[in-house]
Amino acid sequence: MSTPVPASAPATPEAVVGQVRLVPDGHRDFDTSLEHATRFHRLSRACLEQLVEQGLPHSSDATGLLFDRYDLRNVALLLGVRSPQRATYEAMAAALRAGGAGAAVRRTVVVRAYCPDREHCAGCAFVLDPAVTSAPEVVAVRRPEASRFEVDVLLAAADATPPPTPEQRRLLDEAAGLRFHLLPPGLTADLGFLRETGLADCTLAVRHLVAWAGELGVPARPATGLCLSRPFANRHHWLELRDVEGRWWPADPFFLRTLAGWGLLADGDWPAHRRPVGAYWRVDLDLDVPMLRHRGAGGAAGGSPPERLGPAYFLVQ
């Protein structure tokens, strides 16, 4: 297997700010301090000050400059900074390579639940959606603690990916025209924003490509679940395409092309039409439905979901 391709050259500060500003101001929350931006997002003070001069959206209070967390994540990615966000995608790329090695993949997913309500931190009830425990890849489920689930998952070995049909190739070409951008929740279903800017995260890209597939007459549907990256799994969304025998197979042209563009996957080994078998665990849920729910103290219904889609909840062993 060849090595990953070199990463694309980092964008200039002007280009970074230009892309970030395509997100409307109404979707920003200036809650991240300059100090946190430098410490957590690995962006230097000088870099941030230069970006502010170029027009990076910001606010300020008595402590100094304040930034939007999504803007900072995107800035770090566009500049090629070794940020926590970049590390997440490096781990997902590693999971794809491991899953594509040709052998079945067995993993244990440890789901650790936390109460999202600080008013009570004991006696909470947590529920895994039945779609999680009934997924065909699940071998065993254990619950050693009230807030801890252990799910053994067996993913089938990857096989050869057939070449795309002409119609599927048009779908791949559409995916190639999109630019990756982490979006706040208010934009992840806004197809108008995608058409206007060409920006999408995985959620919005899947919505758009499923709609586009319908126009092309390509059988496609959205899929959601976990990328079994280590040490932490990540909630992810991708496509499924139907073959001539009526079977559904995973496809992720937008994200595979994004990872290759960042130099995290070898483009020759990971063309956009390759099936990401062995890395993605599909769960039969809608894109916006959490896998884990919090029922509140005493198991009361209507509690808020504790799933923050972060590494504290899905540990992969």
Side-chain angles (χ1 to χ4, degrees):
M1 180 178 289
S2 59
T3 57
V5 296
S8 303
T12 64
E14 295 84 356
V16 169
V17 172
Q19 179 167 321
V20 167
R21 290 189 65 87
L22 291 175
V23 173
D25 287 338
H27 292 278
R28 290 190 168 84
D29 186 3
F30 297 113
D31 59 358
T32 304
S33 68
L34 177 62
E35 190 232 345
H36 185 78
T38 58
R39 178 168 46 84
F40 182 78
H41 296 282
R42 310 293 195 268
L43 297 165
S44 71
R45 180 181 294 267
C47 172
L48 287 166
E49 290 175 347
Q50 181 182 10
L51 291 169
V52 167
E53 290 179 1
Q54 295 291 334
L56 180 69
H58 64 283
S59 183
S60 62
D61 63 9
T63 65
L65 293 173
L66 297 171
F67 302 94
D68 175 78
R69 67 184 68 181
Y70 286 94
D71 286 347
L72 293 173
R73 292 170 183 167
N74 285 300
V75 165
L77 289 171
L78 289 167
L79 292 177
V81 174
R82 187 63 166 78
S83 64
Q85 198 69 53
R86 170 90 177 191
T88 294
Y89 298 132
E90 289 176 348
M92 294 176 75
L96 285 162
R97 291 193 296 271
V105 174
R106 180 160 183 155
R107 298 284 187 264
T108 296
V109 180
V110 178
V111 185
R112 182 72 169 88
Y114 292 89
C115 176
D117 189 348
R118 295 183 180 180
E119 294 299 321
H120 55 86
C121 56
C124 298
F126 301 96
V127 179
L128 274 179
D129 193 286
V132 176
T133 55
S134 64
E137 297 82 4
V138 173
V139 176
V141 179
R142 297 175 297 278
R143 191 173 187 178
E145 304 171 24
S147 60
R148 179 186 175 96
F149 302 83
E150 297 175 357
V151 185
D152 294 337
V153 179
L154 180 64
L155 303 182
D159 56 1
T161 301
T165 66
E167 293 79 11
Q168 290 173 343
R169 175 61 63 186
R170 292 178 64 188
L171 186 65
L172 300 179
D173 291 342
E174 178 67 17
L178 305 177
R179 288 183 292 169
F180 184 89
H181 197 89
L182 289 164
L183 298 175
L187 291 177
T188 57
D190 192 337
L191 294 175
F193 172 81
L194 181 148
R195 288 190 292 268
E196 181 179 344
T197 65
L199 302 183
D201 62 3
C202 292
T203 308
L204 186 56
V206 166
R207 297 183 197 275
H208 171 71
L209 293 174
V210 168
W212 189 255
E215 296 184 19
L216 297 174
V218 175
R221 66 186 185 186
T224 188
L226 294 177
C227 174
L228 299 185
S229 47
R230 286 174 156 173
F232 302 116
N234 288 275
R235 183 76 181 263
H236 187 52
H237 310 304
W238 59 93
L239 295 172
E240 286 189 331
L241 302 178
R242 194 174 66 198
D243 63 19
V244 294
E245 298 179 0
R247 297 173 300 180
W248 291 95
W249 292 95
D252 204 0
F254 172 66
F255 194 55
L256 292 184
R257 189 176 294 273
T258 296
L259 293 177
W262 289 337
L264 302 181
L265 287 178
D267 195 31
D269 291 335
W270 288 91
H273 71 279
R274 181 169 176 174
R275 294 171 177 172
V277 177
Y280 295 171
W281 171 30
R282 183 185 185 278
V283 178
D284 191 17
L285 292 171
D286 290 336
L287 299 186
D288 298 322
V289 175
M291 297 172 66
L292 179 69
R293 290 192 176 276
H294 170 242
R295 292 300 187 186
S304 56
E307 182 182 331
R308 302 175 191 169
L309 308 186
Y313 298 103
F314 304 109
L315 175 67
V316 177
Q317 298 177 344

